[in-house]
Amino acid sequence: MTLISEWIEDAAVRHGDAPYLEDTALKDTALEDTAGGTLSYAGLHRSTRAWARRLDRAGIAPGAAVALRWSDPLGYATALVAILGAGRVVVPLDPAAPAAELARVLAVARPEAIVAASDQGLPPGLAVLGPPEVPVDVPARRDIDATSRAGGIFLCTSGTTGTPKGILLREDQLAHVAGAVAGHHRLTPADRGYCCLPLFHVNAEVVGLLATLAARACLVLDRKFSRRGFWPLIAERQITWINAVPAIITVLAMDPPAEPVSGRIRFVRSASAPLPPVTLKRFEDAFGLPVVETYGMTEAASMITANPVDGPRKAGSAGRPADTEVRVAERIGSRYLPVRAGAVGRVQIRGRGVIREYATGGPAGAIDPEGWLDTGDLGHLDQDGYLFLAGRSDDVINRGGEKIYPREIEDFLLAQPGVGWAAVIAARDEVLGERPVAYVVPAGPGQWPEMEEALRAACAAALPRPKRPTAFYLVRELPLGPVGKVARHRLRELTTAPA
């Protein structure tokens, strides 16, 4: 079994002085002996040894869960990787989450302690650990005890209501997927990635932190994406790849800089939600940079499919399977069976990086006896094995028995002049059950009545009647989740709210 501690030790011995993490704010953190906002591989090794001793002395055995709540990104990232390397299970928490949300997650994860600056807002009785003292200038050597290891990351996912689903990603799963990400994206020690995504999410943890560690590369952490100054920052930090989401790519495509961007960038990675083909084209036309669209989920330790960095990339596709088995199936009798290429069905996955069961709270039957996990997504595989997502199964609009996939309408609306972003959801209909309605964000200032008329005319000319939105709502922005995914439940709340 591959251990994260082995990666840390090897990186410290071979690349000790090389930077592993950098903080764009250039601030020191109480959690590590960083200098000028930089953590070297030798520093990561020292921190891992210090955390191992700290947890041992606190009576927290290998395999036990330790929650992490810290506001500083570099300190957060350092503690997360070091505690994982010390053989414990990290429970990453949103540092900005309200007390009620923290209580919900902690009730599911049940950690033995929490790493936090204070006990404010935490449930009573939970041991709070401060940072360990990290020795300075201790030579890197292969001396971290790797016996009886049971490290991992415990994440919760459930949306905004109900009991969270507990997902335990074991150390071997994390290492397998992180290695696949590094290999698929051809990361090397010469690479410098950029990540502004939340560190309590699996994308930043595996694609950002652990894939960078697997490649012995460097990751630049940013607290929050900001369009202003973004490209100068990328050039200043000599970034070679950008870990992004469709929301970021959309914003950048709407406002390209006058000067060419840094020539060191190899690709921009898109994840967490489907990227509309028209947005991909706008971005690539404006910047001349390839966008690598991918698909992943927490239950698979992040990446499931990806377009190749060097090779055929298909607009609108999430790419081909990356060290994970993927099939599209339909229910026939009591079993799910694969469908033909091009047919839409339920996306199912299995492999070394995919969980075999939920730790707690998972839906019954989500994983069958053969290990296939039903993702809840709908899509199809083409003749070349590329996956095209149609949307979530619970987002499908049932209009009088006809199934309508919102993404098809959204992609059409985004191709219309003046549209910056669009989301289509179901509204209740007394006769048909459901009907599509559209929320539209204009790309710039304009007269909404004229835009609405133009969109209605365009839909009438190109879309079948059932797929034409019955209402268009102008909004300044769409509600987004922490990783830039449209929060459709909030749009549904707006649609059903009394006038």
Side-chain angles (χ1 to χ4, degrees):
M1 180 178 75
T2 300
L3 297 176
I4 302 300
S5 61
E6 295 172 349
W7 284 358
I8 294 171
E9 292 167 343
D10 179 80
V13 170
R14 298 174 182 270
H15 309 276
D17 294 333
Y20 168 46
L21 299 175
E22 292 181 6
D23 183 355
T24 58
L26 295 177
K27 289 183 179 179
D28 292 338
T29 166
L31 288 184
E32 183 36 51
D33 59 331
T34 54
T38 299
L39 174 70
S40 69
Y41 277 104
L44 174 63
H45 184 258
R46 291 192 295 268
S47 185
T48 302
R49 295 175 63 201
W51 272 108
R53 290 193 299 271
R54 179 74 172 89
L55 296 171
D56 286 342
R57 291 169 182 169
I60 300 173
V66 179
L68 173 61
R69 186 191 188 195
W70 207 265
S71 59
D72 173 66
L74 183 56
Y76 196 121
T78 302
L80 189 152
V81 179
I83 295 172
L84 175 60
R88 273 67 173 186
V89 174
V90 187
V91 184
L93 301 176
D94 178 357
E101 176 63 19
L102 288 176
R104 288 173 66 239
V105 174
L106 293 172
V108 173
R110 302 179 67 180
E112 293 190 12
I114 183 170
V115 177
S118 72
D119 60 0
Q120 184 176 2
L122 299 176
L126 184 61
V128 178
L129 299 179
E133 292 187 7
V134 180
V136 180
D137 296 331
V138 173
R141 57 184 183 271
R142 304 180 188 277
D143 63 351
I144 297 179
D145 181 14
T147 60
S148 303
R149 305 302 297 277
I153 295 177
F154 190 103
L155 298 165
C156 291
T157 176
S158 69
T160 58
T161 60
T163 302
K165 292 180 291 185
I167 299 169
L168 173 60
L169 300 172
R170 302 185 314 272
E171 192 169 349
D172 61 313
Q173 291 175 279
L174 295 166
H176 171 75
V177 178
V181 172
H184 199 87
H185 294 333
R186 301 188 179 182
L187 302 182
T188 73
D191 273 302
R192 293 175 56 81
Y194 170 87
C195 182
C196 62
L197 306 182
L199 294 167
F200 54 87
H201 189 271
V202 71
N203 183 310
E205 293 159 2
V206 178
V207 176
L209 298 176
L210 296 184
T212 296
L213 174 60
R216 315 306 192 251
C218 178
L219 185 68
V220 176
L221 301 171
D222 204 357
R223 283 159 167 72
K224 184 179 180 181
F225 166 74
S226 175
R227 175 172 20 181
R228 179 175 297 180
F230 177 79
W231 291 113
L233 172 66
I234 296 299
E236 175 190 343
R237 294 289 178 153
Q238 302 182 52
I239 300 300
T240 62
W241 71 282
I242 298 170
N243 192 18
V245 294
I248 292 175
I249 294 172
T250 299
V251 169
L252 294 174
M254 292 168 61
D255 186 24
E259 300 295 327
V261 300
S262 168
R264 293 202 63 194
I265 303 172
R266 295 196 294 116
F267 65 94
V268 177
R269 185 182 192 275
S270 179
S272 298
L275 179 67
V278 65
T279 302
L280 185 150
K281 186 176 187 305
R282 286 173 182 167
F283 183 91
E284 292 191 339
D285 287 349
F287 298 100
L289 299 174
V291 176
V292 175
E293 189 172 1
T294 66
Y295 165 58
M297 64 187 304
T298 304
E299 288 88 335
S302 72
M303 192 170 78
I304 299 168
T305 67
N307 279 277
V309 173
D310 300 314
R313 290 177 290 111
K314 296 191 177 185
S317 168
R320 302 180 66 180
D323 286 4
T324 299
E325 292 183 76
V326 179
R327 73 175 185 180
V328 175
E330 65 177 348
R331 192 178 187 88
I332 299 178
S334 61
R335 300 180 60 196
Y336 277 99
L337 297 175
V339 300
R340 60 178 173 80
V344 174
R346 301 186 74 92
V347 179
Q348 298 183 330
I349 61 174
R350 71 179 179 184
R352 288 178 57 189
V354 181
I355 62 170
R356 296 301 300 265
E357 62 180 356
Y358 283 93
T360 182
I367 304 168
D368 72 12
E370 297 179 344
W372 288 104
L373 169 69
D374 193 300
T375 65
D377 291 313
L378 300 174
H380 75 269
L381 291 165
D382 70 5
Q383 295 287 354
D384 299 320
Y386 283 72
L387 178 65
F388 290 78
L389 296 172
R392 296 287 297 172
S393 58
D394 51 5
D395 290 335
V396 174
I397 302 168
N398 189 336
R399 184 184 184 276
E402 180 167 358
K403 302 297 177 62
I404 299 170
Y405 303 112
R407 184 176 181 185
E408 181 180 356
I409 307 172
E410 292 166 356
D411 287 350
F412 175 79
L413 293 175
L414 286 166
Q416 306 309 307
V419 175
W421 212 345
V424 174
I425 64 168
R428 295 297 304 166
D429 188 282
E430 294 182 0
V431 177
L432 299 171
E434 294 178 332
R435 54 187 172 83
V437 298
Y439 286 82
V440 177
V441 178
Q447 297 298 315
W448 174 239
E450 289 79 0
M451 178 180 286
E452 180 178 5
E453 291 177 8
L455 291 177
R456 287 189 180 278
C459 290
L463 297 179
R465 182 179 294 275
K467 297 181 181 179
R468 301 172 192 167
T470 60
F472 293 85
Y473 300 103
L474 172 68
V475 292
R476 293 183 178 180
E477 59 184 14
L478 295 176
L480 303 178
V483 292
K485 188 181 299 184
V486 175
R488 294 180 185 271
H489 68 279
R490 291 172 59 186
L491 293 178
R492 295 189 191 101
E493 293 169 359
L494 291 175
T495 304
T496 57

